[in-house]
Amino acid sequence: MQRVFSGIQPSGVPTLGNYLGAMRNWVALQADHECLYCVVDLHAITVWQDPATLRQQTREMAAAIIACGVDPERHIVFHQSAVSAHARLAWIFNCVARLGWLNRMTQFKDKAGKDREAASAGLYVYPNLMAADVLAYHATRVPVGDDQRQHLELANDIAQKFNHDYETTFFPVIEPLIIGEAARVMSLRDGTKKMSKSDPSDQSRINLTDETDVIASKIRRARTDAEPLPSEIAGLEGRAEARNLVGIYSALSGISQAEVLAEYGGQGFAGFKDALAALTVDKLAPIAAEMRRLLADPGHIDRVLFAGAARASAIADPIVAEAQALVGFLPRPQV
Ligand code: TYM
């Protein structure tokens, strides 16, 4: 059985983008894979996080993963900082990856913005830690949204260079799984920007915890153009906002984009937005309710995460120990 690994940063409330691009696929993969899903708090602090908020958001993210349908008994849900193998392998990868490779990462450029000198060193080496996350488990399949594609290509470059430098075949090739009609959900305010849990504008996104009326109002107010919806997919060309809403509708309903346009093409956005709002509420309300139920007992969430971390360590520790031996480190003492 192939091993799946994926992660999500506790840097805000999970959004519809996280759900459609990643978490929904995480749930589907459980049937025929061994899955590890990680709340990546080490990644989150590459930009400033208030400590109390980080604690809260880590539990919230764990609750969201479970509420979406991940089974933490059959699979593994844990927080990254509790498994030291990630940081230990990341250090080795810091020494394998080349500056030239990191300089090409578009996410660093986006996140660091104009004042690159003021970005944390962690933000720069972020992709090396991400490679370590996956490779510490010898995971081969990684379900993510489209924005993570470049990072996973880099992870494969790192694995290959490690194998080459140490004359081994130790690290496997990773296959990114970028699935579905909404692998890149865009902001509701600007169809050229991705929907993000860390966007300063709450109107730009649907949070999994949004109340029904908030979801409806955000969708009704979502930016669109003045033309009616096209009847065919080719008519979405150059209309980023329309394309985004049609993609979301298609992903949530399981109906192809062509069929969505066959139904709503030629009409203005008002009726389509009402239908999209109803569909979104229908899919997200049960998840929000389950999240609230889980979050009422934070002790339970902590126990799930601790148990997951112990099981994750049991897989990763021997793999990272072997990587360390290949590098030439003496063994760690048994404690
Ligand atoms: P993060 O926390 O930004 O997002 C978590 C997952 O959600 C997907 N996603 C989206 N998909 C579609 N449309 C969007 N607007 C959208 N926004 C986010 C992301 O692609 C991701 O799959 N670096 C990762 C976390 C990570 C990771 C890993 C992932 C750390 N280590 C190892 C895979 C394997 C990140 O910041 O995701």
Side-chain angles (χ1 to χ4, degrees):
M1 205 189 297
Q2 291 203 68
R3 192 172 282 154
V4 162
F5 182 97
S6 200
I8 186 162
Q9 294 193 58
S11 53
V13 179
T15 68
L16 182 64
N18 298 129
Y19 177 65
L20 292 178
M23 296 158 97
R24 197 170 71 144
N25 300 326
W26 297 4
V27 174
L29 286 162
Q30 294 180 105
D32 45 7
H33 293 79
E34 175 191 3
C35 304
L36 294 115
Y37 297 127
C38 183
V39 183
V40 292
D41 47 5
L42 299 179
H43 279 97
I45 64 161
T46 56
V47 300
W48 168 254
Q49 304 290 332
D50 170 71
T53 310
L54 180 62
R55 270 187 286 276
Q56 166 66 16
Q57 288 177 346
T58 301
R59 293 192 179 107
E60 214 165 70
M61 204 49 88
I65 294 170
I66 299 165
C68 285
V70 169
D71 178 350
E73 303 281 325
R74 283 180 47 230
H75 298 274
I76 299 180
V77 177
F78 69 107
H79 52 313
Q80 187 184 27
S81 59
V83 178
S84 67
H86 293 248
R88 299 199 327 262
L89 187 58
W91 180 259
I92 295 176
F93 287 171
N94 283 342
C95 302
V96 172
R98 304 291 94 183
L99 289 189
W101 302 355
L102 294 174
N103 286 338
R104 287 199 288 275
M105 294 297 112
T106 55
Q107 188 159 309
F108 175 75
K109 290 179 200 165
D110 290 348
K111 285 203 176 170
K114 287 203 177 66
D115 193 5
R116 210 174 283 188
E117 302 273 310
S120 75
L123 190 65
Y124 190 64
V125 294
Y126 178 117
N128 301 342
L129 176 59
M130 195 168 147
D133 295 338
V134 177
L135 291 166
Y137 300 90
H138 276 183
T140 49
R141 311 195 89 192
V142 182
V144 286
D146 186 62
D147 61 324
Q148 298 301 316
R149 186 189 297 273
Q150 194 187 32
H151 285 157
L152 293 178
E153 284 166 6
L154 184 85
N156 275 327
D157 290 343
I158 292 173
Q160 229 176 61
K161 181 162 165 57
F162 180 98
N163 286 350
H164 175 267
D165 290 354
Y166 294 104
E167 297 179 353
T168 172
T169 53
F170 187 61
F171 285 119
V173 173
I174 299 168
E175 180 193 350
L177 301 179
I178 299 168
I179 307 163
E181 299 285 347
R184 182 179 282 268
V185 176
M186 308 312 278
S187 156
L188 299 179
R189 309 303 300 163
D190 176 352
T192 64
K193 266 174 57 184
K194 93 176 172 185
M195 183 181 286
S196 165
K197 52 178 133 63
S198 50
D199 193 302
S201 162
D202 191 58
Q203 289 297 320
S204 71
R205 61 174 166 264
I206 309 278
N207 304 303
L208 293 194
T209 50
D210 280 345
E211 300 288 342
T212 302
D213 52 335
V214 174
I215 294 178
S217 123
K218 283 178 176 175
I219 291 179
R220 272 192 216 105
R221 293 173 56 193
R223 187 167 148 186
T224 45
D225 52 42
E227 300 293 313
L229 278 156
S231 303
E232 283 168 22
I233 290 181
L236 292 172
E237 196 61 46
R239 300 179 66 188
E241 284 85 11
R243 177 190 291 282
N244 188 39
L245 296 184
V246 170
I248 293 172
Y249 192 103
S250 167
L252 284 173
S253 63
I255 297 172
S256 75
Q257 297 200 19
E259 285 171 290
V260 175
L261 292 178
E263 183 169 352
Y264 290 99
Q267 305 177 23
F269 279 93
F272 174 69
K273 281 180 165 177
D274 283 344
L276 179 58
L279 181 61
T280 310
V281 166
D282 193 47
K283 296 287 173 190
L284 297 193
I287 298 175
E290 180 61 5
M291 269 181 81
R292 273 195 296 278
R293 192 186 72 75
L294 289 163
L295 284 165
D297 185 358
H300 171 72
I301 295 178
D302 289 1
R303 285 190 294 279
V304 168
L305 288 172
F306 294 164
R311 288 160 62 207
S313 291
I315 301 171
D317 279 342
I319 293 175
V320 173
E322 200 168 334
Q324 290 181 320
L326 284 164
V327 166
F329 295 168
L330 294 180
R332 303 167 79 205
Q334 299 297 322
V335 281

